[in-house]
PDB file of all heavy atoms in Angstrom:
ATOM      1  N   GLU A   4      25.114 -15.566 -22.416  1.00  0.00           N
ATOM      2  CA  GLU A   4      26.531 -15.503 -22.786  1.00  0.00           C
ATOM      3  C   GLU A   4      27.106 -14.136 -22.442  1.00  0.00           C
ATOM      4  O   GLU A   4      28.219 -14.026 -21.904  1.00  0.00           O
ATOM      5  CB  GLU A   4      26.683 -15.777 -24.285  1.00  0.00           C
ATOM      6  CG  GLU A   4      28.113 -15.702 -24.792  1.00  0.00           C
ATOM      7  CD  GLU A   4      28.211 -15.849 -26.300  1.00  0.00           C
ATOM      8  OE1 GLU A   4      27.175 -16.138 -26.950  1.00  0.00           O
ATOM      9  OE2 GLU A   4      29.321 -15.656 -26.835  1.00  0.00           O
ATOM     10  N   LEU A   5      26.342 -13.079 -22.723  1.00  0.00           N
ATOM     11  CA  LEU A   5      26.791 -11.732 -22.410  1.00  0.00           C
ATOM     12  C   LEU A   5      26.858 -11.500 -20.903  1.00  0.00           C
ATOM     13  O   LEU A   5      27.795 -10.858 -20.398  1.00  0.00           O
ATOM     14  CB  LEU A   5      25.858 -10.708 -23.058  1.00  0.00           C
ATOM     15  CG  LEU A   5      25.860 -10.671 -24.588  1.00  0.00           C
ATOM     16  CD1 LEU A   5      24.793  -9.724 -25.096  1.00  0.00           C
ATOM     17  CD2 LEU A   5      27.229 -10.266 -25.120  1.00  0.00           C
ATOM     18  N   GLU A   6      25.885 -12.032 -20.180  1.00  0.00           N
ATOM     19  CA  GLU A   6      25.882 -11.892 -18.721  1.00  0.00           C
ATOM     20  C   GLU A   6      27.133 -12.523 -18.119  1.00  0.00           C
ATOM     21  O   GLU A   6      27.805 -11.932 -17.257  1.00  0.00           O
ATOM     22  CB  GLU A   6      24.622 -12.535 -18.140  1.00  0.00           C
ATOM     23  CG  GLU A   6      24.535 -12.442 -16.623  1.00  0.00           C
ATOM     24  CD  GLU A   6      23.315 -13.161 -16.065  1.00  0.00           C
ATOM     25  OE1 GLU A   6      22.751 -14.019 -16.774  1.00  0.00           O
ATOM     26  OE2 GLU A   6      22.936 -12.863 -14.911  1.00  0.00           O
ATOM     27  N   THR A   7      27.469 -13.718 -18.587  1.00  0.00           N
ATOM     28  CA  THR A   7      28.669 -14.400 -18.095  1.00  0.00           C
ATOM     29  C   THR A   7      29.929 -13.613 -18.438  1.00  0.00           C
ATOM     30  O   THR A   7      30.836 -13.460 -17.606  1.00  0.00           O
ATOM     31  CB  THR A   7      28.762 -15.813 -18.704  1.00  0.00           C
ATOM     32  OG1 THR A   7      27.610 -16.566 -18.300  1.00  0.00           O
ATOM     33  CG2 THR A   7      30.017 -16.529 -18.228  1.00  0.00           C
ATOM     34  N   ALA A   8      29.988 -13.080 -19.663  1.00  0.00           N
ATOM     35  CA  ALA A   8      31.165 -12.316 -20.091  1.00  0.00           C
ATOM     36  C   ALA A   8      31.325 -11.042 -19.271  1.00  0.00           C
ATOM     37  O   ALA A   8      32.448 -10.654 -18.923  1.00  0.00           O
ATOM     38  CB  ALA A   8      31.053 -11.984 -21.572  1.00  0.00           C
ATOM     39  N   LEU A   9      30.222 -10.372 -18.947  1.00  0.00           N
ATOM     40  CA  LEU A   9      30.308  -9.145 -18.162  1.00  0.00           C
ATOM     41  C   LEU A   9      30.792  -9.413 -16.744  1.00  0.00           C
ATOM     42  O   LEU A   9      31.457  -8.572 -16.134  1.00  0.00           O
ATOM     43  CB  LEU A   9      28.944  -8.457 -18.123  1.00  0.00           C
ATOM     44  CG  LEU A   9      28.498  -7.811 -19.445  1.00  0.00           C
ATOM     45  CD1 LEU A   9      27.016  -7.443 -19.375  1.00  0.00           C
ATOM     46  CD2 LEU A   9      29.328  -6.577 -19.749  1.00  0.00           C
ATOM     47  N   ARG A  10      30.477 -10.579 -16.223  1.00  0.00           N
ATOM     48  CA  ARG A  10      30.924 -10.934 -14.870  1.00  0.00           C
ATOM     49  C   ARG A  10      32.373 -11.451 -14.886  1.00  0.00           C
ATOM     50  O   ARG A  10      33.044 -11.417 -13.851  1.00  0.00           O
ATOM     51  CB  ARG A  10      29.985 -11.973 -14.273  1.00  0.00           C
ATOM     52  CG  ARG A  10      28.541 -11.476 -14.128  1.00  0.00           C
ATOM     53  CD  ARG A  10      27.685 -12.448 -13.344  1.00  0.00           C
ATOM     54  NE  ARG A  10      26.266 -12.134 -13.432  1.00  0.00           N
ATOM     55  CZ  ARG A  10      25.654 -11.200 -12.710  1.00  0.00           C
ATOM     56  NH1 ARG A  10      26.337 -10.484 -11.842  1.00  0.00           N
ATOM     57  NH2 ARG A  10      24.353 -10.993 -12.845  1.00  0.00           N
ATOM     58  N   HIS A  11      32.829 -11.927 -16.056  1.00  0.00           N
ATOM     59  CA  HIS A  11      34.204 -12.429 -16.194  1.00  0.00           C
ATOM     60  C   HIS A  11      34.785 -11.911 -17.513  1.00  0.00           C
ATOM     61  O   HIS A  11      35.040 -12.691 -18.442  1.00  0.00           O
ATOM     62  CB  HIS A  11      34.219 -13.965 -16.164  1.00  0.00           C
ATOM     63  CG  HIS A  11      33.523 -14.552 -14.974  1.00  0.00           C
ATOM     64  ND1 HIS A  11      34.106 -14.632 -13.729  1.00  0.00           N
ATOM     65  CD2 HIS A  11      32.269 -15.052 -14.837  1.00  0.00           C
ATOM     66  CE1 HIS A  11      33.261 -15.182 -12.873  1.00  0.00           C
ATOM     67  NE2 HIS A  11      32.139 -15.440 -13.511  1.00  0.00           N
ATOM     68  N   PRO A  12      35.020 -10.601 -17.629  1.00  0.00           N
ATOM     69  CA  PRO A  12      35.417 -10.014 -18.909  1.00  0.00           C
ATOM     70  C   PRO A  12      36.832 -10.402 -19.335  1.00  0.00           C
ATOM     71  O   PRO A  12      37.724 -10.589 -18.505  1.00  0.00           O
ATOM     72  CB  PRO A  12      35.320  -8.506 -18.643  1.00  0.00           C
ATOM     73  CG  PRO A  12      35.531  -8.368 -17.166  1.00  0.00           C
ATOM     74  CD  PRO A  12      34.889  -9.589 -16.559  1.00  0.00           C
ATOM     75  N   VAL A  13      37.018 -10.503 -20.651  1.00  0.00           N
ATOM     76  CA  VAL A  13      38.339 -10.782 -21.216  1.00  0.00           C
ATOM     77  C   VAL A  13      39.231  -9.545 -21.110  1.00  0.00           C
ATOM     78  O   VAL A  13      40.399  -9.635 -20.731  1.00  0.00           O
ATOM     79  CB  VAL A  13      38.212 -11.232 -22.684  1.00  0.00           C
ATOM     80  CG1 VAL A  13      39.597 -11.409 -23.315  1.00  0.00           C
ATOM     81  CG2 VAL A  13      37.413 -12.527 -22.785  1.00  0.00           C
ATOM     82  N   TYR A  14      38.683  -8.386 -21.459  1.00  0.00           N
ATOM     83  CA  TYR A  14      39.426  -7.124 -21.398  1.00  0.00           C
ATOM     84  C   TYR A  14      38.787  -6.202 -20.362  1.00  0.00           C
ATOM     85  O   TYR A  14      37.612  -6.355 -20.023  1.00  0.00           O
ATOM     86  CB  TYR A  14      39.415  -6.431 -22.769  1.00  0.00           C
ATOM     87  CG  TYR A  14      40.068  -7.235 -23.863  1.00  0.00           C
ATOM     88  CD1 TYR A  14      39.359  -7.606 -25.006  1.00  0.00           C
ATOM     89  CD2 TYR A  14      41.405  -7.611 -23.767  1.00  0.00           C
ATOM     90  CE1 TYR A  14      39.954  -8.343 -26.024  1.00  0.00           C
ATOM     91  CE2 TYR A  14      42.014  -8.350 -24.783  1.00  0.00           C
ATOM     92  CZ  TYR A  14      41.280  -8.709 -25.896  1.00  0.00           C
ATOM     93  OH  TYR A  14      41.874  -9.437 -26.891  1.00  0.00           O
ATOM     94  N   PRO A  15      39.530  -5.230 -19.852  1.00  0.00           N
ATOM     95  CA  PRO A  15      38.964  -4.275 -18.889  1.00  0.00           C
ATOM     96  C   PRO A  15      37.768  -3.523 -19.482  1.00  0.00           C
ATOM     97  O   PRO A  15      37.753  -3.201 -20.675  1.00  0.00           O
ATOM     98  CB  PRO A  15      40.131  -3.321 -18.594  1.00  0.00           C
ATOM     99  CG  PRO A  15      41.358  -4.108 -18.932  1.00  0.00           C
ATOM    100  CD  PRO A  15      40.968  -4.996 -20.074  1.00  0.00           C
ATOM    101  N   LEU A  16      36.793  -3.237 -18.647  1.00  0.00           N
ATOM    102  CA  LEU A  16      35.575  -2.556 -19.080  1.00  0.00           C
ATOM    103  C   LEU A  16      35.602  -1.109 -18.610  1.00  0.00           C
ATOM    104  O   LEU A  16      36.102  -0.797 -17.527  1.00  0.00           O
ATOM    105  CB  LEU A  16      34.344  -3.269 -18.523  1.00  0.00           C
ATOM    106  CG  LEU A  16      34.248  -4.769 -18.823  1.00  0.00           C
ATOM    107  CD1 LEU A  16      32.972  -5.342 -18.223  1.00  0.00           C
ATOM    108  CD2 LEU A  16      34.321  -5.047 -20.322  1.00  0.00           C
ATOM    109  N   TYR A  17      35.060  -0.223 -19.429  1.00  0.00           N
ATOM    110  CA  TYR A  17      35.008   1.186 -19.068  1.00  0.00           C
ATOM    111  C   TYR A  17      33.797   1.826 -19.729  1.00  0.00           C
ATOM    112  O   TYR A  17      33.236   1.296 -20.701  1.00  0.00           O
ATOM    113  CB  TYR A  17      36.297   1.915 -19.452  1.00  0.00           C
ATOM    114  CG  TYR A  17      36.781   1.657 -20.858  1.00  0.00           C
ATOM    115  CD1 TYR A  17      36.345   2.448 -21.918  1.00  0.00           C
ATOM    116  CD2 TYR A  17      37.687   0.634 -21.130  1.00  0.00           C
ATOM    117  CE1 TYR A  17      36.795   2.220 -23.208  1.00  0.00           C
ATOM    118  CE2 TYR A  17      38.144   0.406 -22.423  1.00  0.00           C
ATOM    119  CZ  TYR A  17      37.699   1.202 -23.454  1.00  0.00           C
ATOM    120  OH  TYR A  17      38.133   0.977 -24.731  1.00  0.00           O
ATOM    121  N   LEU A  18      33.390   2.976 -19.201  1.00  0.00           N
ATOM    122  CA  LEU A  18      32.172   3.660 -19.645  1.00  0.00           C
ATOM    123  C   LEU A  18      32.534   4.801 -20.601  1.00  0.00           C
ATOM    124  O   LEU A  18      32.583   5.959 -20.236  1.00  0.00           O
ATOM    125  CB  LEU A  18      31.389   4.184 -18.446  1.00  0.00           C
ATOM    126  CG  LEU A  18      31.012   3.133 -17.402  1.00  0.00           C
ATOM    127  CD1 LEU A  18      30.096   3.725 -16.343  1.00  0.00           C
ATOM    128  CD2 LEU A  18      30.380   1.893 -18.035  1.00  0.00           C
ATOM    129  N   GLY A  19      32.832   4.417 -21.826  1.00  0.00           N
ATOM    130  CA  GLY A  19      33.099   5.385 -22.884  1.00  0.00           C
ATOM    131  C   GLY A  19      34.566   5.672 -23.104  1.00  0.00           C
ATOM    132  O   GLY A  19      35.024   5.734 -24.233  1.00  0.00           O
ATOM    133  N   ARG A  20      35.334   5.879 -22.012  1.00  0.00           N
ATOM    134  CA  ARG A  20      36.767   6.119 -22.105  1.00  0.00           C
ATOM    135  C   ARG A  20      37.497   5.256 -21.103  1.00  0.00           C
ATOM    136  O   ARG A  20      36.945   4.887 -20.064  1.00  0.00           O
ATOM    137  CB  ARG A  20      37.086   7.603 -21.831  1.00  0.00           C
ATOM    138  CG  ARG A  20      36.604   8.529 -22.924  1.00  0.00           C
ATOM    139  CD  ARG A  20      37.394   9.827 -22.944  1.00  0.00           C
ATOM    140  NE  ARG A  20      36.781  10.738 -23.917  1.00  0.00           N
ATOM    141  CZ  ARG A  20      36.267  11.920 -23.613  1.00  0.00           C
ATOM    142  NH1 ARG A  20      36.321  12.358 -22.367  1.00  0.00           N
ATOM    143  NH2 ARG A  20      35.734  12.673 -24.545  1.00  0.00           N
ATOM    144  N   ARG A  21      38.765   4.980 -21.372  1.00  0.00           N
ATOM    145  CA  ARG A  21      39.524   4.083 -20.510  1.00  0.00           C
ATOM    146  C   ARG A  21      39.724   4.654 -19.108  1.00  0.00           C
ATOM    147  O   ARG A  21      39.994   3.913 -18.169  1.00  0.00           O
ATOM    148  CB  ARG A  21      40.881   3.776 -21.142  1.00  0.00           C
ATOM    149  CG  ARG A  21      40.735   3.037 -22.458  1.00  0.00           C
ATOM    150  CD  ARG A  21      42.052   2.530 -22.980  1.00  0.00           C
ATOM    151  NE  ARG A  21      41.890   1.942 -24.303  1.00  0.00           N
ATOM    152  CZ  ARG A  21      42.782   1.192 -24.905  1.00  0.00           C
ATOM    153  NH1 ARG A  21      43.933   0.941 -24.280  1.00  0.00           N
ATOM    154  NH2 ARG A  21      42.572   0.701 -26.104  1.00  0.00           N
ATOM    155  N   SER A  22      39.608   5.950 -18.981  1.00  0.00           N
ATOM    156  CA  SER A  22      39.752   6.580 -17.667  1.00  0.00           C
ATOM    157  C   SER A  22      38.475   6.513 -16.843  1.00  0.00           C
ATOM    158  O   SER A  22      38.421   7.084 -15.751  1.00  0.00           O
ATOM    159  CB  SER A  22      40.162   8.045 -17.843  1.00  0.00           C
ATOM    160  OG  SER A  22      39.188   8.751 -18.609  1.00  0.00           O
ATOM    161  N   CYS A  23      37.441   5.813 -17.340  1.00  0.00           N
ATOM    162  CA  CYS A  23      36.130   5.784 -16.681  1.00  0.00           C
ATOM    163  C   CYS A  23      35.689   4.350 -16.366  1.00  0.00           C
ATOM    164  O   CYS A  23      34.753   3.826 -16.997  1.00  0.00           O
ATOM    165  CB  CYS A  23      35.080   6.449 -17.570  1.00  0.00           C
ATOM    166  SG  CYS A  23      35.472   8.146 -18.046  1.00  0.00           S
ATOM    167  N   PRO A  24      36.327   3.676 -15.408  1.00  0.00           N
ATOM    168  CA  PRO A  24      35.881   2.333 -15.038  1.00  0.00           C
ATOM    169  C   PRO A  24      34.537   2.392 -14.320  1.00  0.00           C
ATOM    170  O   PRO A  24      34.261   3.341 -13.580  1.00  0.00           O
ATOM    171  CB  PRO A  24      36.987   1.835 -14.104  1.00  0.00           C
ATOM    172  CG  PRO A  24      37.564   3.080 -13.521  1.00  0.00           C
ATOM    173  CD  PRO A  24      37.490   4.114 -14.610  1.00  0.00           C
ATOM    174  N   PRO A  25      33.675   1.394 -14.519  1.00  0.00           N
ATOM    175  CA  PRO A  25      32.351   1.406 -13.878  1.00  0.00           C
ATOM    176  C   PRO A  25      32.428   1.006 -12.409  1.00  0.00           C
ATOM    177  O   PRO A  25      33.319   0.264 -11.996  1.00  0.00           O
ATOM    178  CB  PRO A  25      31.572   0.366 -14.683  1.00  0.00           C
ATOM    179  CG  PRO A  25      32.622  -0.597 -15.151  1.00  0.00           C
ATOM    180  CD  PRO A  25      33.852   0.240 -15.416  1.00  0.00           C
ATOM    181  N   THR A  26      31.481   1.503 -11.637  1.00  0.00           N
ATOM    182  CA  THR A  26      31.312   1.014 -10.275  1.00  0.00           C
ATOM    183  C   THR A  26      30.439  -0.238 -10.320  1.00  0.00           C
ATOM    184  O   THR A  26      29.735  -0.497 -11.307  1.00  0.00           O
ATOM    185  CB  THR A  26      30.657   2.065  -9.371  1.00  0.00           C
ATOM    186  OG1 THR A  26      29.379   2.427  -9.910  1.00  0.00           O
ATOM    187  CG2 THR A  26      31.524   3.309  -9.284  1.00  0.00           C
ATOM    188  N   LEU A  27      30.491  -1.030  -9.257  1.00  0.00           N
ATOM    189  CA  LEU A  27      29.709  -2.269  -9.191  1.00  0.00           C
ATOM    190  C   LEU A  27      28.427  -2.053  -8.398  1.00  0.00           C
ATOM    191  O   LEU A  27      28.375  -1.208  -7.503  1.00  0.00           O
ATOM    192  CB  LEU A  27      30.564  -3.371  -8.551  1.00  0.00           C
ATOM    193  CG  LEU A  27      31.844  -3.731  -9.312  1.00  0.00           C
ATOM    194  CD1 LEU A  27      32.622  -4.800  -8.542  1.00  0.00           C
ATOM    195  CD2 LEU A  27      31.540  -4.197 -10.726  1.00  0.00           C
ATOM    196  N   PRO A  28      27.372  -2.834  -8.736  1.00  0.00           N
ATOM    197  CA  PRO A  28      27.339  -3.869  -9.770  1.00  0.00           C
ATOM    198  C   PRO A  28      27.142  -3.274 -11.157  1.00  0.00           C
ATOM    199  O   PRO A  28      26.435  -2.278 -11.315  1.00  0.00           O
ATOM    200  CB  PRO A  28      26.118  -4.703  -9.364  1.00  0.00           C
ATOM    201  CG  PRO A  28      25.202  -3.710  -8.710  1.00  0.00           C
ATOM    202  CD  PRO A  28      26.109  -2.750  -7.981  1.00  0.00           C
TER     203      PRO A  28
END
């Protein structure tokens, strides 16, 4: 369930702060 959510997130994802979006994968 978490794997699916991470690939299709409801809200934007970031690494600690909103100014830090993750690189893929």
Side-chain angles (χ1 to χ4, degrees):
E4 178 185 353
L5 294 174
E6 180 183 19
T7 299
L9 289 167
R10 298 189 192 279
H11 307 280
V13 175
Y14 299 121
L16 306 181
Y17 48 89
L18 304 187
R20 291 204 186 119
R21 297 189 186 194
S22 59
C23 304
T26 59
L27 299 178

